[in-house]
Amino acid sequence: MDDRQVEQILQNPKFKEMVKRKSTLSWTLTIIMLVVYVGFMLLVGYNKEFLMTSLSGGVTTIGMPLGLSIIVLSFLLCGVYSYIANNKLDVLNEEAMREVEAITHEKGQH
């Protein structure tokens, strides 16, 4: 692949859209996870009493389900990313790849 082909691929509207969507999705999910995790760490650092409060008068505290929910959230966000990537971004990727193949075959014909 020569520089002209690479430039055509990089300027391809479907390729640009795919990169933009993937980047937006990745950053959005990353920010969600960071805000939740940092928020939990701030609670641990500055409001331990709240996290040590018993839910039902027993040994289970508020901190336990909150910590567990952060782990569950990370799995859910991975699932969201996988679902969107497989159902939306892969379609754009396939369209872009078809156009890339057309560009490469075009170069081979000359």
Side-chain angles (χ1 to χ4, degrees):
M1 206 179 295
D2 63 14
D3 290 340
R4 186 182 68 79
Q5 289 173 317
V6 171
E7 188 60 34
Q8 284 179 320
I9 293 167
L10 293 176
Q11 296 306 318
N12 182 298
K14 288 183 180 147
F15 180 79
K16 283 182 172 182
E17 183 181 353
M18 180 192 64
V19 169
K20 181 182 174 195
R21 282 188 179 185
K22 186 175 181 180
S23 178
T24 301
L25 175 64
S26 298
W27 280 111
T28 301
L29 297 178
T30 298
I31 289 169
I32 290 169
M33 194 66 223
L34 280 173
V35 166
V36 169
Y37 184 75
V38 169
F40 183 72
M41 288 298 107
L42 288 172
L43 271 175
V44 168
Y46 293 106
N47 200 353
K48 290 179 189 172
E49 295 77 26
F50 171 72
L51 293 175
M52 293 180 352
T53 305
S54 176
L55 283 175
S56 60
V59 295
T60 304
T61 64
I62 292 175
M64 294 172 80
L66 278 178
L68 186 60
S69 66
I70 291 173
I71 295 169
V72 170
L73 177 66
S74 67
F75 282 103
L76 287 174
L77 292 179
C78 286
V80 166
Y81 180 84
S82 296
Y83 178 80
I84 293 173
N86 290 337
N87 292 306
K88 306 266 194 242
L89 298 179
D90 277 357
V91 172
L92 282 174
N93 185 40
E94 289 171 11
E95 291 172 1
M97 288 305 292
R98 277 194 291 268
E99 291 182 15
V100 166
E101 287 174 6
I103 291 169
T104 352
H105 290 296
E106 174 187 304
K107 175 67 177 176
Q109 291 175 355
H110 285 94

